[in-house]
Amino acid sequence: MNLEETKKLLVAGEWVPAADGGVAQTYDPADGQLLASFAEAGPADVDAAVAAARRAFDDPEWRAMSPDARGRLLWRIADLIERDAAALAELETHDQGQPISMSSGVNVVLSAQVFRYYAGWCTKIEGRVSSVSVPDTLHYTRREPVGVCAIITPWNFPLAIAAWKLAPALACGNTVILKPAEQTPLSTLWLARLCVEAGVPAGVVNCLTGGPPAGQALVAHPGVDKVSFTGSTEVGKQIVAGAAGNLKRVSLELGGKAPSIIARDADIDAAVAGNLQGALFNTGQACGAYTRFFVDHKRADEFTEKIAAAAARLPIGPGIRPDTVLGPLVSAEQLDRVAHYVDSGVRQGAQLVTGGRRATGPDVERGHFFEPTVFAGVRDDMVIAREEIFGPVLSIFTYEDEDEVVARANDTDYGLAAVVWTQDTVTAHSLAGRIRAGTVFVNLLPLIDPGAPWGGFGLSGWGREMGSFAVDEFTETKGVFLNLAR
Ligand code: NAD
């Protein structure tokens, strides 16, 4: 990507600088080097993008495009993501910090996959004939696009999260304004370019880079019909309040504090390997990351010893190095936040088994690296047990029986993901039914698949993404009553 090009916003099919000339910078978290400047959208840019999206929504070129043609468009975007996969993965790793194995093997792959998946949906968005009791009438439903959608995304999986919202929004015939996080705007700008190259009509996809003010202006804008947001619970609440003016549709994918239950009969080596990955992928900066480890008291010492030893051995370094497993945290602010939580764990009396400090060494001293950290003897009321840390910090608790562990695992404001490690199918299904979370994994890493719903209970948000659920989120239902009386 030509780094001059990053300084423009995509509005009505044209790349333009911010109206007030605003520019901000994004840095490589592995070494603190300036990566690129980007345009900082102001209120005039938000107005222009919303107006462009509205015009495009009403324009027959988009509104009357056949489902088959829309499907082909989405398929082309998937092809273009794959064409640029290596460069996109490298860009994401420099901007976000994640290991190249993750940006290329998960982030970019999922992005292309989700466009293919929703390309197929374009020809399958159907209403139904309703079983009404009014005599001599026919009633049927239509699924219609919601309208102008603001898609506001976080910094942890920038490309994949933008893709998993944009693909269903377009499949359903909406128009969109993408607003990536200010820490990681580059891969979303690239995605917007690919949409233009694929032939998406002008104004159907707009892209505004910038910080919270651009997001706030979109959320409050009377010309926006829906906000699809992924980010922190705190900002999610502000979005609900900000969207009240015109009662926008709002879907929210927010924080998590996933419990991992390791039953007495669990294969401990498999649980250690899976939990380590589940806790530390993207350096723990994942909403579905496993963070609260409830281990049957008879297996707790073995589990703690093994997972701490394995965590301490993980290669830490710049994400661009092929052997890196733990990259940097996204920013200095995030590094401070994680260090603050670790200090609070120590102060409140948790036992620090490994880690607990900023990583040191020639490869990491200029970046935002933190050692993988394992606490044992954690109490349910400690801050590290209750708040989302979003870093490489694991907390181990012990439990005695199933009723107790269910109550404690569910004693959280969040409810996004959970995992159960057991070799017994009855235990697996029983716990899957009793844990309050949007997704329960059994003997598995936290995975995202375009065909499986993703979203949470409680403070983890509103609605579900992926599968047919995203089609519901990005459409309105209209009923049509016909008089058939002669
Ligand atoms: P954040 O909430 O700070 O920011 C997310 C986005 O919202 C950014 O684009 C930001 O510019 C924008 N924003 C900030 N304030 C705003 C406001 N008042 N109005 C409108 N927009 C505003 O989140 P983050 O720190 O970028 O991301 C980390 C959070 O995201 C974590 O809490 C994590 O759990 C969550 N997350 C959830 C999921 C999920 O699927 N549930 C996935 C990834 C991340």
Side-chain angles (χ1 to χ4, degrees):
M1 188 178 215
N2 172 350
L3 290 184
E4 274 307 299
E5 294 176 354
T6 64
K7 292 190 197 149
K8 306 240 172 92
L9 310 167
L10 178 62
V11 178
E14 302 290 329
W15 290 94
V16 294
D20 64 5
V23 171
Q25 281 74 37
T26 177
Y27 298 87
D28 186 333
D31 58 14
Q33 294 293 304
L34 175 66
L35 207 51
S37 295
F38 61 89
E40 208 166 26
D45 305 304
V46 170
D47 284 344
V50 173
R54 177 64 56 196
R55 280 195 306 277
F57 185 70
D58 292 335
D59 189 327
E61 187 188 5
W62 180 242
R63 210 178 172 84
M65 187 182 277
S66 72
D68 178 61
R70 249 185 4 253
R72 286 166 189 268
L73 206 50
L74 266 69
W75 196 274
R76 267 203 298 282
I77 298 171
D79 285 345
L80 292 174
I81 293 172
E82 282 175 351
R83 181 197 68 190
D84 292 356
L88 261 170
E90 230 176 82
L91 186 73
E92 191 83 315
T93 285
H94 280 299
D95 205 14
Q96 202 280 333
Q98 62 191 239
I100 190 78
S101 55
M102 169 145 296
S103 54
S104 61
V106 179
N107 199 345
V108 174
V109 170
L110 176 63
S111 302
Q113 198 188 6
V114 87
F115 272 98
R116 289 237 164 75
Y117 177 83
Y118 283 105
W121 264 104
C122 294
T123 49
K124 295 161 199 76
I125 299 171
E126 296 169 342
R128 61 180 187 223
V129 176
S130 318
S131 147
V132 292
S133 302
V134 183
D136 298 325
T137 56
L138 168 68
H139 185 277
Y140 64 92
T141 60
R142 297 165 48 91
R143 310 263 359 176
E144 297 193 352
V146 180
V148 173
C149 301
I151 290 180
I152 303 179
T153 49
W155 47 253
N156 62 335
F157 284 98
L159 182 69
I161 294 177
W164 90 45
K165 294 174 182 296
L166 179 60
L170 296 180
C172 297
N174 297 282
T175 59
V176 165
I177 299 140
L178 293 167
K179 210 300 279 172
E182 57 277 23
Q183 297 86 350
T184 55
L186 301 182
S187 58
T188 307
L189 281 168
W190 192 309
L191 177 63
R193 268 174 203 285
L194 297 184
C195 291
V196 174
E197 186 180 342
V200 172
V204 170
V205 175
N206 304 274
C207 183
L208 299 180
T209 47
Q216 280 163 333
L218 282 167
V219 168
H221 203 293
V224 173
D225 300 303
K226 175 180 170 75
V227 177
S228 175
F229 172 75
T230 295
S232 60
T233 294
E234 188 191 334
V235 172
K237 290 178 183 176
Q238 291 169 23
I239 285 176
V240 170
N246 64 340
L247 290 183
K248 288 178 182 63
R249 292 353 182 195
V250 175
S251 46
L252 303 170
E253 300 292 342
L254 309 176
K257 193 74 185 167
S260 173
I261 299 176
I262 295 105
R264 190 172 304 177
D265 71 337
D267 173 342
I268 288 290
D269 291 331
V272 164
N275 277 313
L276 202 62
Q277 272 187 282
L280 296 178
F281 73 103
N282 206 12
T283 317
Q285 300 166 119
C287 49
Y290 304 154
T291 58
R292 295 184 293 141
F293 297 86
F294 292 94
V295 192
D296 181 282
H297 69 286
K298 289 235 159 58
R299 311 296 299 276
D301 289 347
E302 180 189 359
F303 179 81
T304 304
E305 203 177 289
K306 286 185 170 171
I307 203 162
R313 281 196 302 271
L314 290 179
I316 306 181
I320 206 71
R321 272 195 349 213
D323 60 333
T324 290
V325 174
L326 268 196
L329 293 159
V330 75
S331 61
E333 188 190 357
Q334 191 63 13
L335 181 69
D336 285 348
R337 193 179 135 90
V338 170
H340 159 85
Y341 276 115
V342 168
D343 288 347
S344 99
V346 171
R347 268 200 320 277
Q348 290 194 305
Q351 177 202 343
L352 184 62
V353 187
T354 189
R357 299 177 302 155
R358 236 186 125 143
T360 51
D363 283 350
V364 298
E365 64 195 15
R366 286 182 301 141
H368 313 307
F369 294 87
F370 201 86
E371 291 179 345
T373 298
V374 177
F375 281 112
V378 182
R379 286 194 324 270
D380 296 356
D381 63 348
M382 289 180 179
V383 172
I384 56 169
R386 307 211 66 82
E387 296 186 11
E388 185 183 46
I389 301 176
F390 232 54
V393 183
L394 292 69
S395 298
I396 300 177
F397 313 70
T398 57
Y399 75 91
E400 306 272 334
D401 67 52
E402 188 174 308
D403 287 345
E404 174 206 336
V405 79
V406 166
R408 291 171 64 198
N410 286 340
D411 180 20
T412 170
D413 295 331
Y414 296 108
L416 187 62
V419 62
V420 177
W421 300 87
T422 177
Q423 302 189 61
D424 177 47
T425 49
V426 175
T427 305
H429 287 291
S430 168
L431 287 172
R434 298 180 72 190
I435 300 293
R436 212 174 155 269
T439 305
V440 179
F441 299 94
V442 178
N443 298 327
L444 209 60
L445 306 176
L447 304 170
I448 300 263
D449 186 284
W454 184 250
F457 292 30
L459 291 191
S460 291
W462 285 354
R464 295 292 180 272
E465 301 196 285
M466 304 296 186
S468 62
F469 304 89
V471 173
D472 293 344
E473 298 281 346
F474 280 106
T475 52
E476 295 276 14
T477 300
K478 178 185 279 177
V480 180
F481 251 122
L482 261 83
N483 184 350
L484 297 182
R486 289 190 177 274

